Amino acid sequence: MRSFAVMMLGLLPAMTLAAELKIGPGQSYLVEKDNSQLVLDYLEIGDAAHIRFAEGIAAWRVQAKTAVIGDNVVIDGRGSVGESGISGVSANNCKNQLNGQGGAHGAPGTDGVSMRLQLGIESLGSLNILADGGNGGNGGSGGNGADNNDDCAGERGGDGGDGGDGGVGGSGGEITILYRVLGSDLEPIDVSQRVKVSAEPGKGGAGGRGGSSGEGGGGHYITKKTLAGNRQWVSGGEAGLSGSVGLSGEPGSSGAVMIDSLMMQSPAASQSSAKENRSLLQRLEALERRVKVLENAK
């Protein structure tokens, strides 16, 4: 019985302390782990405010009963560009290193931040949401092969290193905006026209170029170790192979975007739901007290 009562308490809606958030005109606001999920009574964002995201934040969720948003507000959740691969080391002496080193692969671009905004909009100027995926990094170039020389007579030139592959592009963030118009001067169609969203995929990085081949050594005469001392022609070494160009990275995927009006609960319905929750909580507390009495009677 006790475990049943505790389980039922866990089914009650989570009660989050309502708060307000005000971002002044022209201010920059950083979303970190602690403020990546907000449930607010009041949200105010001033003109030309800029909202950005700390590294590692993949999603932002905001629910506000009342929202006042100014002009030219930017929420910038674009993914980062992947680092380009390091170029391979070229061989400069056929005795020490014959072949060029391959280039490193480019790093992938990161995904754009996904956002879910559920707002009661009292006023709205203009809002620009950027959630594009980052481009993949370019592959590093392959190192050049070493040329043959007299110290390496009769051997072929060094091969060029292969170019690194380009990194894959990041995907655009998933953007959902559900709203209810509170201000009398706003219509649902006005909201969709005043909010611009970009959730384009990041481009794949370019493959690195292959390293050039080393030249083969030139032909030359050698003196045969015979009494006649005849000379013999020795052909030079062949040129090495050029390195292959790295593969281009694949682009990311486009993010899904949904902007739609939301029928929110009326104040009367909200108060009724709160009363029902309190009544259920009181009954469960009474049930738990009875369980304690029965346990103590054993």
Side-chain angles (χ1 to χ4, degrees):
M1 288 290 291
R2 181 178 178 83
S3 60
F4 172 76
V6 173
M7 179 185 71
M8 290 300 294
L9 283 170
L11 295 178
L12 288 173
M15 302 182 70
T16 304
L17 180 63
E20 67 176 28
L21 172 62
K22 293 183 179 181
I23 304 172
Q27 287 188 350
S28 179
Y29 179 79
L30 180 65
V31 177
E32 300 178 286
K33 183 178 180 180
D34 292 343
N35 55 350
S36 61
Q37 295 191 53
L38 299 174
V39 179
L40 307 169
D41 275 335
Y42 183 75
L43 171 65
E44 181 178 314
I45 306 176
D47 295 342
H50 191 101
I51 298 173
R52 54 194 180 88
F53 297 84
E55 184 177 356
I57 299 299
W60 191 39
R61 184 168 184 170
V62 179
Q63 181 177 343
K65 292 180 180 178
T66 302
V68 176
I69 301 173
D71 283 316
N72 301 318
V73 173
V74 176
I75 303 177
D76 191 348
R78 289 176 291 184
S80 301
V81 176
E83 292 187 5
S84 294
I86 299 173
S87 296
V89 176
S90 294
N92 54 18
N93 187 310
C94 61
K95 292 189 70 175
N96 297 332
Q97 179 183 341
L98 184 63
N99 298 325
Q101 188 181 54
H105 300 318
T110 61
D111 296 338
V113 176
S114 293
M115 306 178 206
R116 180 181 174 88
L117 309 179
Q118 188 171 328
L119 309 172
I121 300 179
E122 184 172 286
S123 65
L124 172 63
S126 60
L127 175 61
N128 189 14
I129 297 177
L130 306 174
D132 304 318
N135 294 335
N138 297 327
S141 299
N144 299 327
D147 292 334
N148 204 318
N149 57 35
D150 292 341
D151 293 331
C152 308
E155 297 183 10
R156 63 194 295 272
D159 296 336
D162 293 335
D165 295 339
V168 299
S171 296
E174 306 289 323
I175 307 300
T176 301
I177 302 176
L178 303 176
Y179 66 90
R180 178 186 177 212
V181 174
L182 304 179
S184 58
D185 60 336
L186 277 177
E187 295 293 336
I189 191 171
D190 292 331
V191 173
S192 61
Q193 290 176 347
R194 299 184 191 190
V195 177
K196 294 182 179 180
V197 178
S198 180
E200 295 297 316
K203 298 177 181 179
R209 68 167 182 82
S212 60
S213 60
E215 296 293 333
H220 59 281
Y221 285 99
I222 62 171
T223 301
K224 298 177 66 176
K225 295 181 179 180
T226 63
L227 294 175
N230 294 333
R231 295 199 305 166
Q232 181 178 351
W233 175 258
V234 178
S235 299
E238 297 179 351
L241 300 176
S242 297
S244 300
V245 177
L247 300 176
S248 297
E250 295 290 333
S253 301
S254 297
V257 177
M258 183 178 74
I259 303 176
D260 202 359
S261 59
L262 174 68
M263 296 301 295
M264 301 177 73
Q265 281 187 319
S266 65
S270 179
Q271 292 175 3
S272 175
S273 177
K275 289 180 180 179
E276 291 176 358
N277 288 338
R278 285 195 296 270
S279 176
L280 177 58
L281 181 59
Q282 290 171 355
R283 292 198 300 271
L284 288 172
E285 288 175 345
L287 176 60
E288 191 170 13
R289 286 194 296 270
R290 291 181 60 188
V291 170
K292 288 181 179 179
V293 171
L294 292 173
E295 288 178 344
N296 293 333
K298 291 181 179 180

